[in-house]
Amino acid sequence: QVQLVESGGGLVQPGGSLRLSCAASTRIFRLYNMGWYRQAPGKQRELVAAITTTGNTNYSDSVKGRFTISRDNAKNTMYLQMNSLKPEDTAVYYCNARRIRTSWGQGTQVTVSS
């Protein structure tokens, strides 16, 4: 399994921005389909955005137009640019890597509050 480490979470005011990063410990990062998930207190984990090995992306309706997922295969890193953040975006955000097996990061907290 690949090791995944998220970073970039924190406290931000409504309307603000954050960029999350997910660093992967593999030399074949380019062969993994990647995704960001989030889990709010008392709720199930949900898909936020995903990006394939060829760069195709998809987003949940709740973040479409506000969040952008990207990857840098040379740096073995995936990103999530989050703009126009809302209080309902508050959650622990997890990085996910899928190939033969699925790997998860430990999560990073994002809190949107005034």
Side-chain angles (χ1 to χ4, degrees):
Q1 281 186 323
V2 61
Q3 301 299 313
L4 302 171
V5 179
E6 302 99 333
S7 61
L11 172 65
V12 63
Q13 292 186 343
S17 298
L18 282 175
R19 188 175 83 153
L20 305 183
S21 298
C22 171
S25 63
T26 174
R27 296 181 180 180
I28 54 171
F29 176 75
R30 69 190 185 283
L31 300 182
Y32 283 82
N33 292 309
M34 302 293 296
W36 286 100
Y37 287 72
R38 67 186 181 187
Q39 188 167 19
K43 295 188 176 181
Q44 289 189 333
R45 191 172 296 188
E46 62 174 0
L47 175 67
V48 175
I51 185 166
T52 68
T53 58
T54 56
N56 291 322
T57 59
N58 69 282
Y59 299 89
S60 70
D61 288 343
S62 62
V63 307
K64 202 170 294 183
R66 300 187 297 122
F67 291 10
T68 302
I69 189 172
S70 62
R71 64 191 298 163
D72 185 337
N73 290 338
K75 295 182 178 180
N76 297 338
T77 302
M78 174 181 65
Y79 304 97
L80 185 68
Q81 178 66 44
M82 305 186 294
N83 298 329
S84 303
L85 282 161
K86 304 175 180 180
E88 50 264 44
D89 295 318
T90 296
V92 178
Y93 283 71
Y94 296 92
C95 174
N96 169 278
R98 304 179 307 282
R99 189 168 173 254
I100 297 173
R101 298 177 181 176
T102 298
S103 300
W104 292 93
Q106 82 288 350
T108 185
Q109 176 70 47
V110 171
T111 302
V112 185
S113 175
S114 55

